[in-house]
């Protein structure tokens, strides 16, 4: 029989990709969405052969009904404390009430289990939710994937193909973890269908240093790329503290500038290891050269 999966966060960019990959895997999918979800997003979901359940995401009884006969709850929600802890806590309680055997939380990040508290506001929320997960009777699998490679498409100074430069902090030889969002979705769908997953799965489509990134981009564009050192990790930490103090309104925003700098700090201070890329042999991750070629050729 096909696995029955409940997906939360299917209207988001990653969530919809996970939905499509689950359907490709032959899963029987139902999604939970808020009552105030825009009609455009609801219409987009209804193009798929899935169950769409609109419910108050804090209503434990309704969420428990949605979880009935489900093999795995997959969360791809994103937000601040009210979502990462509030909504996911309700999902977790409902899953336990309904006897769901497995739960995949919305982590999809660098390995915050190896980072100190206070280094990254959004990771601290996930770490706090993990305290609940670790006390729960349900089997939990977190998927950690480093940075979504697509961030480099947004004029990110880590790789500036317009100005032929690669910026870095501390060490030009530090390996950075990148995974394309499609590959994260494919791996997540496979993990959701796999009843034997461990507590943590780590994946990285490619691990590449700033120096290697500059060489690959230079070869792809047939022009030299300059390596630009922005400072040490201590310099970056001090910059984050100044920016956060100067912009307190960012505490209510998901991605204020200082939070984005915190993500950069995590990239240059941790490395995913060991990797579980080979757990599902049919998944072929985009490598650094393939991705950089794509980036250079993008309009």
């Amino acid at each position: 029989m096909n696995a029955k999966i409940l997906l939360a966060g299917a209207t988001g960019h990653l969530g919809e990709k996970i939905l499509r990959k689950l359907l490709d895997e032959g899963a029987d999918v139902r999604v939970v969405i808020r009552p105030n979800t825009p009609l455009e997003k609801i219409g987009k979901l209804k193009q798929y052969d899935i169950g769409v359940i609109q419910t108050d995401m804090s209503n434990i009884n309704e969420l428990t009904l949605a979880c009935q006969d489900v093999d795995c709850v997959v969360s791809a929600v994103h937000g601040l404390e009210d979502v990462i802890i509030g909504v996911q806590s309700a999902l977790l309680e409902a899953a336990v009430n309904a006897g769901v055997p497995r739960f995949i939380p919305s982590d999809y990040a660098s390995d915050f289990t190896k980072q100190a508290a206070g280094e990254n506001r959004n990771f601290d929320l996930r770490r706090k939710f993990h305290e609940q997960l670790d006390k729960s009777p349900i089997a939990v699998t977190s998927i950690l994937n480093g940075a979504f490679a697509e961030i480099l498409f947004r004029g990110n100074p880590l790789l500036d193909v317009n100005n032929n430069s690669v910026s870095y902090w501390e060490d030009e030889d530090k390996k950075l973890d990148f995974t394309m969002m499609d590959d994260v979705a494919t791996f997540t769908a496979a993990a959701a269908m796999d009843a034997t997953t461990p507590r943590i799965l780590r994946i990285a489509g490619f691990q590449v240093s700033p120096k290697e990134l500059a060489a690959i981009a230079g070869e792809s564009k047939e022009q030299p790329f300059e390596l630009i050192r922005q400072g040490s990790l201590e310099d970056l930490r001090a910059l984050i503290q100044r920016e956060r103090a100067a912009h307190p309104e960012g505490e209510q925003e998901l991605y204020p500038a200082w939070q984005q700098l915190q993500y950069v700090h995590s990239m240059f201070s941790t490395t995913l290891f060991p990797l579980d890329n080979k757990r599902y042999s049919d998944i072929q991750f985009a490598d650094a050269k393939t991705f950089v070629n794509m980036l250079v050729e993008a309009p």
Side-chain angles (χ1 to χ4, degrees), residues 259-270:
Q259 172 65 70
Q260 295 176 50
L261 290 172
Q262 288 186 333
Y263 284 130
V264 172
H265 188 279
S266 71
M267 292 174 67
F268 282 93
S269 59
T270 61

Side-chain angles (χ1 to χ4, degrees), residues 64-82:
T64 299
L65 289 174
C67 287
Q68 292 297 321
D69 301 317
V70 163
D71 296 302
C72 182
V73 170
V74 178
S75 175
V77 299
H78 65 282
L80 296 178
E81 185 166 3
D82 62 322

Side-chain angles (χ1 to χ4, degrees), residues 31-246:
V31 303
V32 287
I33 59 175
R34 298 177 186 272
N36 60 350
T37 299
L39 291 176
E40 178 185 355
K41 292 187 175 183
I42 295 174
K44 198 171 182 181
L45 288 175
K46 288 187 174 179
Q47 69 178 305
Y48 302 108
D49 183 19
I50 60 174
V52 179
I53 303 168
Q54 286 186 266
T55 181
D56 180 345
M57 299 298 281
S58 64
N59 189 315
I60 304 297
N61 291 334
E62 290 186 6
L63 287 174
T64 299
L65 289 174
C67 287
Q68 292 297 321
D69 301 317
V70 163
D71 296 302
C72 182
V73 170
V74 178
S75 175
V77 299
H78 65 282
L80 296 178
E81 185 166 3
D82 62 322
V83 175
I84 298 302
I85 296 177
V87 168
Q88 289 200 117
S89 294
L91 277 171
L92 178 62
E93 183 176 346
V96 172
N97 290 346
V100 178
R102 300 175 57 243
F103 190 99
I104 297 178
S106 186
D107 289 334
Y108 316 113
S110 62
D111 195 347
F112 54 83
T113 68
K114 297 178 180 177
Q115 298 176 34
E119 294 286 355
N120 186 303
R121 188 254 333 245
N122 289 357
F123 291 172
D124 285 345
L125 295 175
R126 284 161 172 78
R127 186 181 290 105
K128 185 176 180 180
F129 182 56
H130 274 221
E131 294 175 5
Q132 294 185 44
L133 292 170
D134 291 340
K135 296 175 183 177
S136 173
I138 202 168
V140 176
T141 294
S142 291
I143 296 173
L144 304 177
N145 52 257
F148 290 126
E150 287 83 352
I151 65 170
L152 298 177
F153 275 106
R154 304 171 188 169
N156 194 309
L158 290 177
L159 176 56
D160 188 338
V161 297
N162 294 321
N163 295 307
N164 292 3
S165 66
V166 172
S167 294
Y168 68 95
W169 295 85
E170 186 82 23
D171 182 3
E172 64 184 20
D173 293 310
K174 168 69 173 67
K175 296 286 188 180
L176 308 179
D177 301 309
F178 293 100
T179 316
M180 290 197 69
M181 196 175 290
D182 273 341
D183 291 340
V184 174
T186 301
F187 191 91
T188 301
M193 305 282 281
D194 177 3
T196 67
T197 51
R199 177 64 182 84
I200 294 178
L201 289 169
R202 298 174 177 88
I203 56 173
F206 52 94
Q207 294 178 309
V208 61
S209 71
K211 182 188 291 185
E212 292 168 334
L213 201 55
I216 293 168
E219 180 181 350
S220 178
K221 198 173 177 182
E222 297 183 343
Q223 296 176 15
F225 271 62
E226 180 186 6
L227 274 169
I228 303 174
R229 189 177 190 272
Q230 299 290 339
S232 67
L233 285 177
E234 283 302 317
D235 293 333
L236 178 54
R237 184 179 287 108
L239 174 60
I240 292 167
Q241 291 173 347
R242 291 195 301 272
E243 288 296 308
R244 190 170 188 176

